[in-house]
């Protein structure tokens, strides 16, 4: 009985110790990450087509639309790069084109406002926890 | 042996926590040209809105966008649209679900209201969570790897470093609430 109790305690301690390391890693790593939280880079095709990759700012859009407008009504999947967006679809009024049509928001001819990332930036949610845990500290800060 | 290891890990963790805290006061909204993401040589950095201009006037927070989004919506600082064309009303569901009743961390209060103000039921049900309290096997490891709650928290909504915003209810309080419900 006593032994069991002690074992349980020790296990609990180990668990808390492990978690505090995890939290610490996240916190330390999060100081590295500079871009705005929630910015999504979409780069399935852009680099290949000689355009800058696309930056989609969640902070800007969520001030104007609830998540459901895009993620339920317009059918954006919750996955960076997962919607296979291209210009044909946009001009056809799908995805970004549901709004960037000159009515709800400025239209497609403003190429540079969407295609604004540094060339070569991979598809990502810039600030995701996974990225921080997987990427060794410092990788995000490379120049 | 085990004890030594866990003691070491705990010390390491605490040290790192303190170090992280010490660096925590860096100004939060980087100008777009210096955010390591936008191309400073492109025209967009001079045309797009700077995050600081829009976000610094909203209710403050200590992580993520440094905005307490639930409050910003509740108090009317922002009025995000609920639909593009016909004004379909958001379906708000006001029920808290208590999760993690057996763990060592405090119990998690999942507020349906704060979520359904933003999201549609179909964003979570049933592909992420079943419609029955306690029926889904949720784990912190899966959350940290970007699944379940971590799909949004860690990418767009307040980040996972805010442990106590989810683990917010003491076990004693949770027991009281659950007894109250079953009566």
């Amino acid at each position: 009985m006593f032994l069991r109790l002690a074992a349980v305690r020790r296990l609990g301690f180990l668990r808390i110790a492990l978690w505090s390391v995890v939290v610490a890693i996240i916190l330390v790593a999060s100081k590295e990450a500079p871009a705005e939280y929630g910015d999504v880079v979409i780069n399935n095709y852009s680099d290949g087509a000689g355009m800058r990759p696309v930056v989609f700012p969640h902070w800007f859009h969520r001030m104007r639309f609830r998540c459901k407008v895009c993620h339920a009504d317009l059918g954006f999947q919750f996955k960076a790069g997962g919607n296979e967006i291209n210009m044909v679809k946009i001009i056809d009024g799908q995805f970004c084109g549901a709004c960037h049509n000159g009515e709800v928001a400025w239209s497609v001819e403003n190429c540079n406002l969407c295609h604004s990332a540094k060339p070569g930036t991979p598809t990502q949610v810039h600030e995701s926890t996974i990225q921080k845990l997987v990427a060794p500290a410092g990788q995000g800060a490379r120049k | 042996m085990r004890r030594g290891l866990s003691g070491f890990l705990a010390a390491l963790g605490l040290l790192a926590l303190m170090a992280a805290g010490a660096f925590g006061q860096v100004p939060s909204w980087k100008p777009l040209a210096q955010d390591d993401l936008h191309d400073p040589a492109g025209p967009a950095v001079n045309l797009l809105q700077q995050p600081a201009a829009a976000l610094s006037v909203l209710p403050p927070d200590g992580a993520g966008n440094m905005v307490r989004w639930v409050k910003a919506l509740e108090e009317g600082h922002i009025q995000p649209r609920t639909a593009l064309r016909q004004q379909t009303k958001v379906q708000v569901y006001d029920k808290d679900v208590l999760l993690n009743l057996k763990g060592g961390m405090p119990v998690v209060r999942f507020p349906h209201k704060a979520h359904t103000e933003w999201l549609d039921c179909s964003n979570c049900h049933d592909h992420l969570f079943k419609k029955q309290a306690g029926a889904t096997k949720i784990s912190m490891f899966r959350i940290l790897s970007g699944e379940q709650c971590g799909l949004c928290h860690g990418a767009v909504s307040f980040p996972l470093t805010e442990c106590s915003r989810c683990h917010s209810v003491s076990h004693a309080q949770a027991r009281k609430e659950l007894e109250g419900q079953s009566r």
Side-chain angles (χ1 to χ4, degrees), chain A residues 15-127:
Chain A
R15 218 203 249 159
I16 290 173
L18 272 171
W19 279 111
S20 63
V21 170
V22 170
V23 181
I25 293 171
I26 301 173
L27 283 176
V28 169
S30 67
K31 303 306 162 207
E32 303 272 335
E36 192 52 36
Y37 186 75
D39 279 1
V40 178
V41 177
I42 312 177
N43 188 6
N44 293 326
Y45 316 110
S46 298
D47 264 340
M51 295 292 290
R52 290 185 183 87
V54 171
V55 180
F56 172 81
H58 264 105
W59 64 270
F60 184 93
H61 288 87
R62 73 179 294 184
M63 291 174 66
R64 292 160 174 79
F65 302 93
R66 310 205 181 203
C67 324
K68 84 172 260 296
V69 174
C70 290
H71 290 295
D73 302 353
L74 295 177
F76 281 96
Q77 302 284 324
F78 285 132
K79 188 166 188 339
N83 292 281
E84 292 171 13
I85 305 170
N86 62 35
M87 291 317 292
V88 173
K89 292 180 188 168
I90 291 177
I91 290 162
D92 187 41
Q94 299 173 49
F95 298 113
C96 322
C99 302
H100 289 279
N101 53 10
E103 287 172 42
V104 182
W106 41 260
S107 71
V108 276
E109 66 257 18
N110 300 289
C111 318
N112 288 321
L113 292 183
C114 292
H115 292 274
S116 65
K118 284 186 188 169
T121 314
T123 296
Q124 61 185 292
V125 187
H126 198 70
E127 273 266 287

Side-chain angles (χ1 to χ4, degrees), chain B:
Chain B
M1 181 57 216
R2 257 281 201 45
R3 230 222 184 101
L5 176 67
S6 54
F8 172 72
L9 282 175
L12 191 79
L14 283 177
L15 261 177
L17 269 175
M18 280 155 61
F23 293 116
Q25 303 310 320
V26 191
S28 40
W29 300 291
K30 279 260 172 87
L32 296 175
Q34 294 156 33
D35 71 359
D36 209 28
L37 186 60
H38 289 89
D39 186 352
V45 291
N46 299 318
L47 298 170
L48 298 176
Q49 185 176 33
Q50 297 291 341
L55 302 181
S56 59
V57 298
L58 298 179
D61 198 357
N65 295 122
M66 313 303 270
V67 169
R68 192 73 188 243
W69 288 108
V70 170
K71 209 166 159 207
L73 183 62
E74 227 168 59
E75 294 176 355
H77 298 279
I78 55 173
Q79 290 104 27
R81 289 170 63 174
T82 59
L84 259 196
R85 291 177 193 89
Q86 72 291 47
Q87 281 291 326
T88 49
K89 184 68 193 112
V90 276
Q91 191 189 344
V92 177
Y93 177 55
D94 190 3
K95 169 151 209 231
D96 290 356
V97 181
L98 296 176
L99 302 164
N100 191 36
L101 294 168
K102 300 211 178 83
M105 291 284 290
V107 168
V108 173
R109 181 191 299 283
F110 171 82
H112 263 106
K113 181 159 189 301
H115 287 91
T116 52
E117 291 281 2
W118 294 94
L119 292 151
D120 191 68
C121 315
S122 69
N123 288 134
C124 292
H125 292 301
D126 293 323
H127 64 110
L128 294 179
F129 306 106
K130 300 196 177 113
K131 263 193 191 156
Q132 190 192 330
T136 317
K137 180 121 191 47
I138 307 176
S139 92
M140 201 59 218
F141 277 109
R142 292 189 61 184
I143 294 174
L144 281 166
S145 43
E147 297 169 49
Q148 301 181 326
C149 318
L151 179 65
C152 300
H153 296 283
V156 177
S157 304
F158 76 81
L160 296 171
T161 42
E162 307 304 289
C163 314
S164 60
R165 202 167 294 171
C166 288
H167 292 277
S168 59
V169 185
S170 73
H171 285 274
Q173 175 65 28
R175 266 196 302 276
K176 227 185 272 165
E177 281 187 32
L178 289 173
E179 273 167 24
Q181 275 173 21
S182 61
R183 230 169 256 147

